[in-house]
Amino acid sequence: MANFIDDIPEARRETLLARDEPTQKASTAGVIPWVLMAFAVLGIGAAGLWWISTSGPTASITPGPGTSAATDASAAAEPETTAVPPAESDTTPPDNTAVANAAASSAAISAQSAQSNELLGHRPYAVADENGLTTLSTNPMVRLKPEVAQKVETMMAEARAVGVSLDAISGFRSLEDQQYLFFDLKAERGQTTQTRAEVSAPPGYSEHHTGYAVDFIDLSQPATELNAAFEDTPAFRWLEKNAAYYGFELSFPKDNEQNVTYEPWHWRYVGNQESLEMFYQNAN
């Protein structure tokens, strides 16, 4: 009809249009319900899709105010799944053999170090200051540390009080004295170095350098001076019983660790801190 409206006179056209208008409205009214129905169907479909998406296992739900504690408790109760490898010390046993070997090596080094200062079985000693020495009343040739000299004087007096002829024949020796006793007598007697070292120390290695060592004799038996026979004299027997009371000990007893020949006449004073450290600090 639209194609012919322009050919109809205006008055007639308006009439026709007025007459046709209700028909067009009615036609429009019939379409609207279908459109609404289509929207409704689409809405239901969309609602269904939304419900399916929110109810699936991967849905992310924001917890409400009352769900935080429960969620934290659940997370805390969940077992730790991270595997931790065992520590190396738990699976590797200690190497006891290596520890034992290290200890043995250390002991050997210490022993070697202690022996490194020795010479032919004798230990080194510093030479005492001769200006600080005292001579014995019975023999001005014998010089000792003042404390030692006083002890020796007391010992000789008390020994004589019981009929024992105890006396001292040697005390402090200088390096020159020891030079003669070791090298000169060694050459004079044709002794080997080792043989001489068994009866005399090299210079710098004699206890007599310290002013703490004394060689005792028995005046009643001069033939026993400075030899093993001295052990059979009353003087030696008195020393065995009483020397320790005055701070003295035998330097070279039988089978001593320094392998020095047994010297029953040679005694050393260890009655103060200085002498004790001097004779024992470097000992093996």
Side-chain angles (χ1 to χ4, degrees):
M1 179 183 296
N3 294 331
F4 303 103
I5 290 180
D6 292 337
D7 295 334
I8 299 173
E10 184 175 359
R12 180 63 176 167
R13 195 167 55 244
E14 291 177 358
T15 302
L16 290 174
L17 290 174
R19 187 181 62 186
D20 292 338
E21 194 172 22
T23 303
Q24 293 177 353
K25 289 182 179 179
S27 176
T28 303
V31 173
I32 290 175
W34 289 103
V35 174
L36 293 176
M37 185 177 295
F39 278 112
V41 172
L42 292 174
I44 293 172
L49 292 175
W50 176 85
W51 181 84
I52 292 172
S53 65
T54 57
S55 63
T58 58
S60 176
I61 302 175
T62 303
T67 62
S68 176
T71 303
D72 292 344
S74 175
E78 215 173 303
E80 183 65 42
T81 58
T82 304
V84 179
E88 183 177 350
S89 59
D90 293 338
T91 58
T92 305
D95 191 348
N96 293 328
T97 302
V99 173
N101 290 340
S105 177
S106 177
I109 292 173
S110 298
Q112 183 178 2
S113 176
Q115 295 176 357
S116 63
N117 290 330
E118 291 187 1
L119 179 62
L120 298 169
H122 295 275
R123 299 171 187 139
Y125 296 103
V127 179
D129 180 5
E130 297 187 44
N131 294 323
L133 302 176
T134 300
T135 60
L136 291 182
S137 61
T138 58
N139 188 343
M141 298 297 293
V142 178
R143 295 178 294 168
L144 297 166
K145 292 273 191 177
E147 181 179 341
V148 183
Q150 185 272 325
K151 296 287 184 179
V152 171
E153 295 274 10
T154 302
M155 291 168 67
M156 292 190 300
E158 294 189 4
R160 288 170 183 167
V162 295
V164 176
S165 300
L166 180 68
D167 206 340
I169 194 175
S170 181
F172 169 80
R173 292 179 195 161
S174 66
L175 289 174
E176 291 76 17
D177 294 334
Q178 205 65 30
Q179 170 85 17
Y180 167 77
L181 290 174
F182 187 84
F183 290 108
D184 293 357
L185 289 184
K186 170 181 173 297
E188 182 180 318
R189 297 174 184 178
Q191 295 174 322
T192 65
T193 300
Q194 186 62 51
T195 299
R196 189 60 194 161
E198 292 175 0
V199 295
S200 183
Y205 291 81
S206 174
E207 291 185 350
H208 284 284
H209 290 323
T210 68
Y212 284 114
V214 184
D215 288 339
F216 289 104
I217 61 173
D218 190 320
L219 290 175
S220 68
Q221 299 186 32
T224 63
E225 291 182 5
L226 305 180
N227 65 63
F230 178 71
E231 69 175 358
D232 297 323
T233 66
F236 178 76
R237 288 191 290 270
W238 187 93
L239 288 170
E240 279 190 308
K241 293 179 181 179
N242 300 287
Y245 292 108
Y246 301 92
F248 283 87
E249 66 181 16
L250 192 61
S251 293
F252 304 111
K254 292 179 180 179
D255 302 320
N256 61 84
E257 63 179 10
Q258 291 178 251
N259 200 34
V260 175
T261 301
Y262 170 51
E263 295 184 356
W265 64 88
H266 183 99
W267 296 71
R268 64 190 181 192
Y269 182 74
V270 289
N272 59 29
Q273 187 70 21
E274 181 183 60
S275 61
L276 188 66
E277 292 179 355
M278 186 174 295
F279 292 119
Y280 281 100
Q281 198 166 44
N282 293 326
N284 293 338

